[in-house]
Amino acid sequence: MMNSSSEEEVTAAVTLGLLAAWALHDLEELATVPGWWRRNLPALRERCPTVPQAVWRRAGSVDGREFAVAVGAMAGVVAAASVAGRLTGGRSAVYQGALNAFGLHGLVHLAQAALVRGYTPGSATSPLIVVPFTLWARHRLRRAGVLRATRPRDLAVGLGFAGAATVAAHAAARRLTKG
């Protein structure tokens, strides 16, 4: 959909590409999260004594099956946002919010890796896929004239929504896998 001669079409690579980039990123997490937690939980507890023990117990109790179901639930959320983007030519506030949250999520992974001074699940694909895809997609939306202004409040809302969706996905996964 061209709005003027200087604007470009927002292609499926931009909108549905969010789901593809997310899937590649989450394949890394699926492959690494359970084992990484088992190996690193004792050191993390020692290094971060102010984190409530209930948080560490909950993190340590997530097995691979539960994590995979939670990832599947999040796939539905990301797919819905990607389709909303596709159907609106990238204009959807839900799509753009999810895109921004995805990019910020990648930065969080990089900060986590810096904090532990080593690998954390998601930190390999964040600089290779997550951050570059987000910047590229935002550039394409800007060139098409559909990128919404991004205020700090919008970023906070996007991260809050992503956090709530993650908590809900894990709660649903726990119910489904633990009976």
Side-chain angles (χ1 to χ4, degrees):
M1 155 192 278
M2 300 288 269
N3 296 328
S4 75
S5 60
S6 66
E7 295 177 347
E8 294 181 8
E9 178 181 0
V10 174
T11 64
V14 175
T15 54
L16 300 178
L18 173 60
L19 179 59
W22 175 87
L24 290 170
H25 172 69
D26 269 46
L27 283 173
E28 176 195 358
E29 291 183 340
L30 280 169
T32 60
V33 164
W36 188 90
W37 270 115
R38 276 192 307 277
R39 289 186 307 278
N40 291 281
L41 193 56
L44 290 171
R45 278 184 162 159
E46 186 177 309
R47 204 165 175 190
C48 304
T50 58
V51 174
Q53 288 304 308
V55 171
W56 296 126
R57 278 193 301 277
R58 175 69 183 103
S61 71
V62 176
D63 63 19
R65 188 168 149 244
E66 179 182 333
F67 186 75
V69 171
V71 167
M74 281 301 294
V77 173
V78 177
S82 297
V83 169
R86 183 69 187 140
L87 293 174
T88 62
R91 290 172 177 79
S92 165
V94 170
Y95 162 73
Q96 289 191 24
L99 177 65
N100 290 335
F102 182 60
L104 291 171
H105 170 79
L107 296 177
V108 167
H109 276 302
L110 295 175
Q112 290 169 336
L115 184 66
V116 303
R117 296 183 195 107
Y119 175 81
T120 58
S123 65
T125 52
S126 286
L128 299 174
I129 296 171
V130 177
V131 173
F133 174 80
T134 302
L135 294 173
W136 173 80
R138 287 180 51 81
H139 173 74
R140 293 298 302 264
L141 294 171
R142 186 177 299 108
R143 286 186 62 170
V146 300
L147 183 65
R148 298 169 180 264
T150 306
R151 303 167 303 197
R153 179 185 180 277
D154 300 325
L155 297 176
V157 168
L159 277 177
F161 176 78
T166 300
V167 168
H170 280 277
R174 174 144 294 211
R175 289 188 73 134
L176 290 169
T177 60
K178 304 296 185 210

